[in-house]
Amino acid sequence: MSNSLFKVKKSGLLSTIQDEGRKGYQQYGIVVSGAMDSFSMNIANFLVGNKGNEAVLEVTVMGPVLEVLNQAVIAICGGNLSPKVNGEKVQMWKSFEVKEGDRLEFGQPLSGARSYISVAGGYDVPFVMGSKSTYLKAGIGGIEGRALEKGDVLYRAEEFKGVSGRALHPEEIPDYHKELDIRVVMGPHAFTEKGTDTFLSTPYEVTPQSDRMGFRLKGEKIEHAGSADIISEAIPLGGIQVPASGDPIILMSDRQTTGGYTRIATVISSDIPYLAQAMPGSTIRFREVTVEEAQEAYEENDRFIRTLGKVSNPRR
């Protein structure tokens, strides 16, 4: 049986293969990349019976049109970009079967910015430094290091029937809003008291100049205590830089490995998936939490993912 899965009829705005990212290479200047919304990626995989870190197709705002070449079990999680099969709406956060000749497409974005399409058996693309993730600027990973193009054929990594009809409980499905309350741990660099108060008390808007590398925000300017420039240091996921302009930048999946701007705070890992679904025009309010509170949120989320993986993966 052929492992061909989808033929790309339309590429969409930005559709790339992503997994957990290229870990362990930042010391060599290699960008991590990976799914912007790791929660949706994990759930999409668990619903079809894959391991949580299997590669998925990340589609942004305007999804692709895909012709199904062979029967498969898939799931679509994350932002609601109005997915349809043969013109009929399909339920998100639930695995279902597609058949040869079916047409998967997307319509108007209703909530969130990114959807994740998993397939039982995973996508067959090469591993580059231990990851299938696409990093566009370096042209590595995924399909020849680039986004999907019309005429591409996607293949399944292995024959695996998968699990159809498995759904995430409605109470566990995230709500994506245009107004976000994002928790942060403050530091490591000094800002004036006014600058810190401004950051924590006023809303910031996500600008159209935002991408997988980082979200540029606009709002009241943040006042520095000294120079905005520092000796370059490592950049964590969710680190919030404030250059001399006073406009914050949140560093995301395709962030550079080091940076030379002051950082006022870091978004906690549990809130990154919500942040990843923000569209331009969304507003963000930052709320300070302690390191201990951030760790508790991480552990709660991690327990949920691990528990779901134990009961959902028939191949383990």
Side-chain angles (χ1 to χ4, degrees):
M1 181 177 180
S2 172
N3 277 346
S4 57
L5 177 63
F6 295 134
K7 183 170 184 179
V8 180
K9 309 300 285 186
K10 292 184 180 179
S11 60
L13 179 64
L14 179 65
S15 306
T16 59
I17 299 291
Q18 301 291 344
D19 57 20
E20 288 186 331
R22 209 156 272 112
K23 298 180 179 180
Y25 295 93
Q26 285 179 284
Q27 61 185 313
Y28 306 113
I30 303 299
V31 169
V32 176
S33 294
M36 290 276 280
D37 177 354
S38 60
F39 179 83
S40 294
M41 177 196 73
N42 278 310
I43 301 303
N45 274 315
F46 291 145
L47 292 178
V48 299
N50 290 341
K51 294 180 180 179
N53 61 352
E54 181 56 71
V56 296
L57 184 60
E58 178 183 274
V59 303
T60 307
V61 184
M62 295 173 57
V65 177
L66 304 173
E67 177 188 350
V68 179
L69 301 179
N70 278 289
Q71 182 275 338
V73 172
I74 70 172
I76 305 173
C77 297
N80 186 350
L81 308 183
S82 302
K84 298 178 181 180
V85 173
N86 301 329
E88 299 293 327
K89 293 181 181 179
V90 295
Q91 182 176 339
M92 296 187 60
W93 304 94
K94 181 179 181 178
S95 58
F96 60 94
E97 186 176 294
V98 290
K99 298 181 175 63
E100 181 181 355
D102 284 349
R103 182 182 174 94
L104 172 62
E105 59 188 335
F106 295 81
Q108 180 181 0
L110 299 180
S111 67
R114 293 172 172 85
S115 282
Y116 295 83
I117 308 172
S118 63
V119 58
Y123 292 95
D124 184 16
V125 297
F127 283 96
V128 179
M129 288 173 277
S131 172
K132 296 181 179 181
S133 284
T134 310
Y135 178 44
L136 296 170
K137 291 185 178 180
I140 60 174
I143 300 174
E144 301 175 356
R146 58 171 172 76
L148 259 61
E149 295 179 354
K150 182 179 179 180
D152 284 341
V153 175
L154 299 179
Y155 294 86
R156 199 168 9 208
E158 61 177 292
E159 286 297 334
F160 172 54
K161 185 177 180 181
V163 182
S164 180
R166 176 179 286 154
L168 188 65
H169 193 283
E171 292 183 359
E172 305 292 352
I173 296 175
D175 288 326
Y176 304 123
H177 304 287
K178 289 200 68 176
E179 298 180 358
L180 291 83
D181 175 44
I182 296 296
R183 293 169 290 180
V184 297
V185 173
M186 299 301 292
H189 303 124
F191 289 78
T192 65
E193 182 177 345
K194 178 183 177 182
T196 300
D197 288 344
T198 296
F199 174 71
L200 292 173
S201 64
T202 62
Y204 287 88
E205 182 178 325
V206 179
T207 71
Q209 291 73 44
S210 300
D211 56 20
R212 283 181 47 86
M213 183 176 178
F215 286 2
R216 292 183 176 270
L217 310 181
K218 68 177 181 180
E220 193 169 337
K221 307 298 183 183
I222 298 172
E223 186 177 85
H224 292 84
S227 173
D229 298 320
I230 59 170
I231 296 173
S232 289
E233 62 181 30
I235 297 292
L237 177 63
I240 305 175
Q241 291 183 327
V242 185
S245 67
D247 296 318
I249 304 169
I250 310 177
L251 282 305
M252 300 297 286
S253 294
D254 283 356
R255 67 197 179 279
Q256 69 274 29
T257 57
T258 61
Y261 292 135
T262 49
R263 269 188 293 122
I264 193 168
T266 301
V267 177
I268 72 170
S269 59
S270 298
D271 283 2
I272 292 290
Y274 291 94
L275 182 61
Q277 294 293 346
M279 292 273 279
S282 298
T283 57
I284 298 173
R285 285 186 177 272
F286 296 106
R287 176 163 57 92
E288 180 182 4
V289 296
T290 64
V291 171
E292 291 74 22
E293 289 171 321
Q295 290 172 334
E296 288 174 7
Y298 170 82
E299 290 169 358
E300 180 181 356
N301 185 69
D302 186 58
R303 279 194 299 271
F304 175 76
I305 294 292
R306 285 190 286 109
T307 300
L308 187 64
K310 288 178 181 178
V311 301
S312 298
N313 191 345
R315 294 194 291 176
R316 284 183 176 171

